Amino acid sequence: MPVPTPNSHSHSATNSELISALAKSIEKKDALSRTSFTKYAVRAMLATLFLTLGTGIAFYIAGYANDIVPHSGKFVYAFMFSWSLVMIVYMNAELGTSNMMYMTSAVYNKKLRFLTAGKILATCVFFNFVGALICSFLISRTTAYSHLPADHYLFEAVSAKLAKTPITQFIEGIFANIVVNTAVFVTLRMKDDSAKVWSMIFIIYIFAFLGFEHVIANFVSFPLAFFVNGGPVENMTFLSVLSNFFFSGLGNYVGGGLLIGLLYSWLNQKSDLYVD
């Protein structure tokens, strides 16, 4: 039996570690959705609970920052929003946009059938939406959100998102979920918790600061603005909201499902020399 070289052993270990991490996550999601639909639905709702908390503090502190230093709100908004993913990952919640990567990879690598993966993803996104409605309504009833001025950062940000053209929402959706799933992908290769946390924060900061479109985050911010304002904000109509959800969600799937999930599954298929 030939003795493996140090390099070949290193590449093999790296490949095995990453692929097994993806497979383990996919297996957990599949098992939970099959054995306890209710628990899976609750974990999906928990994702938007943590996203609502992150979004809530991000918008609120951005308003204060703008009052202190004009135009500084965006800097602190992006930083505080980034903690949402940290909470979601460490609390084992189910986020639809990261599942776009997992489920596409699962189908490509024949870990799940297409219909099974599609059902898991659809269930996750639906209950992300249900959780977002409930949590955004409840946080709109808190003291912090009971007295926002008409020109608050929350209302301006949501109005700006709804004013974008469908093609812009689609393209920004692609970039947003490339960023989100890169953060997830990177942490799969890390052992140290502090490194994972700071990696997620600074990677997510990219899409949060640039204002890219993330459909699950919009599930939270749009109803939050509606409930706090006591009705639609500028540019908010049923069709504008639905259009944003569709085009940003489609872009999110292209970015996370195809450009990260599918592309990296293909890049690592039958590869021993160049693996991730």
Side-chain angles (χ1 to χ4, degrees):
M1 177 181 293
V3 179
T5 64
N7 282 342
S8 67
H9 175 77
S10 174
H11 282 301
S12 176
T14 302
N15 181 70
S16 171
E17 183 178 347
L18 180 62
I19 298 305
S20 64
L22 283 169
K24 184 177 179 181
S25 293
I26 291 165
E27 183 181 353
K28 283 168 55 180
K29 295 170 189 293
D30 178 42
L32 182 60
S33 66
R34 283 187 293 102
T35 58
S36 181
F37 179 86
T38 301
K39 288 183 178 179
Y40 187 82
V42 169
R43 285 193 181 274
M45 293 171 69
L46 283 172
T48 37
L49 164 62
F50 300 126
L51 192 54
T52 300
L53 289 171
T55 300
I57 184 58
F59 277 128
Y60 194 70
I61 200 171
Y64 269 107
N66 273 344
D67 290 341
I68 298 169
V69 180
H71 309 297
S72 66
K74 201 169 187 179
F75 292 92
V76 292
Y77 168 83
F79 178 75
M80 294 308 300
F81 175 84
S82 299
W83 287 92
S84 300
L85 186 64
V86 177
M87 291 187 281
I88 289 168
V89 169
Y90 276 88
M91 298 302 287
N92 280 321
E94 289 291 308
L95 183 66
T97 43
S98 59
N99 274 335
M100 291 175 182
M101 174 189 72
Y102 282 116
M103 293 303 109
T104 303
S105 176
V107 172
Y108 181 82
N109 289 308
K110 296 181 173 60
K111 299 293 183 182
L112 295 177
R113 293 181 299 174
F114 177 82
L115 290 178
T116 301
K119 179 182 176 182
I120 293 172
L121 180 57
T123 300
C124 183
V125 171
F126 175 76
F127 283 101
N128 282 168
F129 181 69
V130 172
L133 287 178
I134 295 171
C135 295
S136 60
F137 173 76
L138 292 175
I139 206 168
S140 74
R141 294 299 184 263
T142 61
T143 302
Y145 273 92
S146 64
H147 58 276
L148 298 190
D151 62 346
H152 192 270
Y153 188 89
L154 166 64
F155 304 134
E156 292 182 348
V158 169
S159 295
K161 284 179 173 292
L162 291 168
K164 295 175 184 177
T165 64
I167 188 63
T168 299
Q169 293 168 353
F170 174 70
I171 293 171
E172 291 190 358
I174 294 174
F175 283 113
N177 217 21
I178 287 174
V179 171
V180 170
N181 284 286
T182 295
V184 173
F185 201 88
V186 165
T187 59
L188 288 175
R189 303 185 62 177
M190 293 181 171
K191 299 296 185 183
D192 182 74
D193 283 331
S194 62
K196 288 183 179 182
V197 169
W198 287 106
S199 293
M200 281 188 277
I201 289 170
F202 284 113
I203 293 173
I204 296 300
Y205 193 98
I206 297 170
F207 108 72
F209 186 82
L210 293 175
F212 291 155
E213 297 298 316
H214 184 275
V215 67
I216 311 299
N218 290 348
F219 282 176
V220 171
S221 59
F222 292 178
L224 178 60
F226 180 88
F227 292 136
V228 172
N229 191 52
V233 299
E234 186 179 358
N235 299 321
M236 180 180 282
T237 65
F238 178 77
L239 287 179
S240 69
V241 170
L242 199 63
S243 175
N244 180 281
F245 287 166
F246 177 78
F247 287 103
S248 62
L250 188 60
N252 288 166
Y253 182 74
V254 172
L258 302 183
L259 295 180
I260 300 295
L262 181 62
L263 180 61
Y264 271 83
S265 293
W266 173 73
L267 286 172
N268 285 275
Q269 188 180 49
K270 300 178 182 178
S271 176
D272 295 322
L273 298 177
Y274 204 140
V275 295
D276 299 286

PDB file of all heavy atoms in Angstrom, residues 135-149:
ATOM      1  N   CYS A 135     -43.343  38.425  15.139  1.00  0.00           N
ATOM      2  CA  CYS A 135     -42.307  39.115  15.913  1.00  0.00           C
ATOM      3  C   CYS A 135     -42.230  40.604  15.583  1.00  0.00           C
ATOM      4  O   CYS A 135     -42.009  41.426  16.480  1.00  0.00           O
ATOM      5  CB  CYS A 135     -40.954  38.449  15.676  1.00  0.00           C
ATOM      6  SG  CYS A 135     -40.878  36.756  16.299  1.00  0.00           S
ATOM      7  N   SER A 136     -42.418  40.958  14.315  1.00  0.00           N
ATOM      8  CA  SER A 136     -42.382  42.386  13.959  1.00  0.00           C
ATOM      9  C   SER A 136     -43.583  43.120  14.561  1.00  0.00           C
ATOM     10  O   SER A 136     -43.463  44.273  14.991  1.00  0.00           O
ATOM     11  CB  SER A 136     -42.342  42.568  12.439  1.00  0.00           C
ATOM     12  OG  SER A 136     -43.480  41.997  11.823  1.00  0.00           O
ATOM     13  N   PHE A 137     -44.741  42.450  14.618  1.00  0.00           N
ATOM     14  CA  PHE A 137     -45.903  43.063  15.251  1.00  0.00           C
ATOM     15  C   PHE A 137     -45.654  43.287  16.741  1.00  0.00           C
ATOM     16  O   PHE A 137     -45.929  44.367  17.284  1.00  0.00           O
ATOM     17  CB  PHE A 137     -47.146  42.196  15.064  1.00  0.00           C
ATOM     18  CG  PHE A 137     -48.347  42.690  15.825  1.00  0.00           C
ATOM     19  CD1 PHE A 137     -49.067  43.784  15.368  1.00  0.00           C
ATOM     20  CD2 PHE A 137     -48.730  42.084  17.010  1.00  0.00           C
ATOM     21  CE1 PHE A 137     -50.165  44.263  16.077  1.00  0.00           C
ATOM     22  CE2 PHE A 137     -49.824  42.555  17.726  1.00  0.00           C
ATOM     23  CZ  PHE A 137     -50.533  43.648  17.256  1.00  0.00           C
ATOM     24  N   LEU A 138     -45.109  42.273  17.396  1.00  0.00           N
ATOM     25  CA  LEU A 138     -44.880  42.380  18.837  1.00  0.00           C
ATOM     26  C   LEU A 138     -43.841  43.445  19.172  1.00  0.00           C
ATOM     27  O   LEU A 138     -44.018  44.221  20.114  1.00  0.00           O
ATOM     28  CB  LEU A 138     -44.453  41.018  19.405  1.00  0.00           C
ATOM     29  CG  LEU A 138     -45.528  39.930  19.396  1.00  0.00           C
ATOM     30  CD1 LEU A 138     -44.959  38.606  19.871  1.00  0.00           C
ATOM     31  CD2 LEU A 138     -46.724  40.345  20.259  1.00  0.00           C
ATOM     32  N   ILE A 139     -42.741  43.500  18.400  1.00  0.00           N
ATOM     33  CA  ILE A 139     -41.717  44.498  18.711  1.00  0.00           C
ATOM     34  C   ILE A 139     -42.201  45.909  18.389  1.00  0.00           C
ATOM     35  O   ILE A 139     -41.750  46.888  18.998  1.00  0.00           O
ATOM     36  CB  ILE A 139     -40.389  44.174  17.983  1.00  0.00           C
ATOM     37  CG1 ILE A 139     -39.212  44.786  18.768  1.00  0.00           C
ATOM     38  CG2 ILE A 139     -40.380  44.674  16.549  1.00  0.00           C
ATOM     39  CD1 ILE A 139     -37.851  44.303  18.316  1.00  0.00           C
ATOM     40  N   SER A 140     -43.149  46.024  17.470  1.00  0.00           N
ATOM     41  CA  SER A 140     -43.710  47.347  17.166  1.00  0.00           C
ATOM     42  C   SER A 140     -44.524  47.880  18.338  1.00  0.00           C
ATOM     43  O   SER A 140     -44.813  49.076  18.409  1.00  0.00           O
ATOM     44  CB  SER A 140     -44.597  47.280  15.919  1.00  0.00           C
ATOM     45  OG  SER A 140     -45.840  46.643  16.192  1.00  0.00           O
ATOM     46  N   ARG A 141     -44.893  46.989  19.266  1.00  0.00           N
ATOM     47  CA  ARG A 141     -45.669  47.385  20.441  1.00  0.00           C
ATOM     48  C   ARG A 141     -44.778  47.659  21.658  1.00  0.00           C
ATOM     49  O   ARG A 141     -45.291  47.894  22.753  1.00  0.00           O
ATOM     50  CB  ARG A 141     -46.694  46.291  20.788  1.00  0.00           C
ATOM     51  CG  ARG A 141     -47.772  46.107  19.719  1.00  0.00           C
ATOM     52  CD  ARG A 141     -48.571  47.406  19.547  1.00  0.00           C
ATOM     53  NE  ARG A 141     -49.669  47.284  18.612  1.00  0.00           N
ATOM     54  CZ  ARG A 141     -49.620  47.645  17.328  1.00  0.00           C
ATOM     55  NH1 ARG A 141     -48.494  48.129  16.821  1.00  0.00           N
ATOM     56  NH2 ARG A 141     -50.670  47.544  16.551  1.00  0.00           N
ATOM     57  N   THR A 142     -43.472  47.615  21.488  1.00  0.00           N
ATOM     58  CA  THR A 142     -42.571  47.907  22.599  1.00  0.00           C
ATOM     59  C   THR A 142     -42.380  49.412  22.743  1.00  0.00           C
ATOM     60  O   THR A 142     -42.667  50.187  21.824  1.00  0.00           O
ATOM     61  CB  THR A 142     -41.198  47.244  22.383  1.00  0.00           C
ATOM     62  OG1 THR A 142     -40.607  47.759  21.184  1.00  0.00           O
ATOM     63  CG2 THR A 142     -41.333  45.733  22.274  1.00  0.00           C
ATOM     64  N   THR A 143     -41.882  49.827  23.900  1.00  0.00           N
ATOM     65  CA  THR A 143     -41.666  51.244  24.176  1.00  0.00           C
ATOM     66  C   THR A 143     -40.727  51.885  23.155  1.00  0.00           C
ATOM     67  O   THR A 143     -40.963  53.005  22.691  1.00  0.00           O
ATOM     68  CB  THR A 143     -41.084  51.429  25.585  1.00  0.00           C
ATOM     69  OG1 THR A 143     -41.981  50.846  26.539  1.00  0.00           O
ATOM     70  CG2 THR A 143     -40.883  52.903  25.913  1.00  0.00           C
ATOM     71  N   ALA A 144     -39.662  51.163  22.806  1.00  0.00           N
ATOM     72  CA  ALA A 144     -38.666  51.713  21.880  1.00  0.00           C
ATOM     73  C   ALA A 144     -39.284  52.114  20.547  1.00  0.00           C
ATOM     74  O   ALA A 144     -38.883  53.113  19.933  1.00  0.00           O
ATOM     75  CB  ALA A 144     -37.542  50.705  21.665  1.00  0.00           C
ATOM     76  N   TYR A 145     -40.256  51.325  20.091  1.00  0.00           N
ATOM     77  CA  TYR A 145     -40.835  51.575  18.766  1.00  0.00           C
ATOM     78  C   TYR A 145     -42.187  52.293  18.813  1.00  0.00           C
ATOM     79  O   TYR A 145     -42.903  52.322  17.823  1.00  0.00           O
ATOM     80  CB  TYR A 145     -40.950  50.249  18.009  1.00  0.00           C
ATOM     81  CG  TYR A 145     -39.671  49.920  17.272  1.00  0.00           C
ATOM     82  CD1 TYR A 145     -38.681  49.143  17.882  1.00  0.00           C
ATOM     83  CD2 TYR A 145     -39.418  50.420  16.004  1.00  0.00           C
ATOM     84  CE1 TYR A 145     -37.491  48.875  17.230  1.00  0.00           C
ATOM     85  CE2 TYR A 145     -38.236  50.153  15.343  1.00  0.00           C
ATOM     86  CZ  TYR A 145     -37.277  49.380  15.961  1.00  0.00           C
ATOM     87  OH  TYR A 145     -36.090  49.117  15.313  1.00  0.00           O
ATOM     88  N   SER A 146     -42.495  52.903  19.936  1.00  0.00           N
ATOM     89  CA  SER A 146     -43.799  53.562  20.071  1.00  0.00           C
ATOM     90  C   SER A 146     -43.768  55.050  19.730  1.00  0.00           C
ATOM     91  O   SER A 146     -44.820  55.695  19.733  1.00  0.00           O
ATOM     92  CB  SER A 146     -44.321  53.383  21.504  1.00  0.00           C
ATOM     93  OG  SER A 146     -43.464  54.036  22.434  1.00  0.00           O
ATOM     94  N   HIS A 147     -42.581  55.606  19.424  1.00  0.00           N
ATOM     95  CA  HIS A 147     -42.507  57.053  19.220  1.00  0.00           C
ATOM     96  C   HIS A 147     -41.506  57.452  18.137  1.00  0.00           C
ATOM     97  O   HIS A 147     -40.810  58.447  18.266  1.00  0.00           O
ATOM     98  CB  HIS A 147     -42.102  57.729  20.546  1.00  0.00           C
ATOM     99  CG  HIS A 147     -40.788  57.232  21.094  1.00  0.00           C
ATOM    100  ND1 HIS A 147     -40.697  56.088  21.849  1.00  0.00           N
ATOM    101  CD2 HIS A 147     -39.528  57.720  20.981  1.00  0.00           C
ATOM    102  CE1 HIS A 147     -39.435  55.903  22.188  1.00  0.00           C
ATOM    103  NE2 HIS A 147     -38.701  56.871  21.670  1.00  0.00           N
ATOM    104  N   LEU A 148     -41.434  56.710  17.057  1.00  0.00           N
ATOM    105  CA  LEU A 148     -40.467  57.036  16.006  1.00  0.00           C
ATOM    106  C   LEU A 148     -40.953  58.221  15.173  1.00  0.00           C
ATOM    107  O   LEU A 148     -42.127  58.291  14.798  1.00  0.00           O
ATOM    108  CB  LEU A 148     -40.238  55.832  15.083  1.00  0.00           C
ATOM    109  CG  LEU A 148     -39.656  54.563  15.705  1.00  0.00           C
ATOM    110  CD1 LEU A 148     -39.281  53.570  14.599  1.00  0.00           C
ATOM    111  CD2 LEU A 148     -38.448  54.854  16.580  1.00  0.00           C
ATOM    112  N   PRO A 149     -40.067  59.155  14.839  1.00  0.00           N
ATOM    113  CA  PRO A 149     -40.450  60.288  13.978  1.00  0.00           C
ATOM    114  C   PRO A 149     -40.684  59.820  12.548  1.00  0.00           C
ATOM    115  O   PRO A 149     -40.223  58.751  12.136  1.00  0.00           O
ATOM    116  CB  PRO A 149     -39.239  61.215  14.066  1.00  0.00           C
ATOM    117  CG  PRO A 149     -38.094  60.318  14.410  1.00  0.00           C
ATOM    118  CD  PRO A 149     -38.660  59.245  15.293  1.00  0.00           C
TER     119      PRO A 149
END
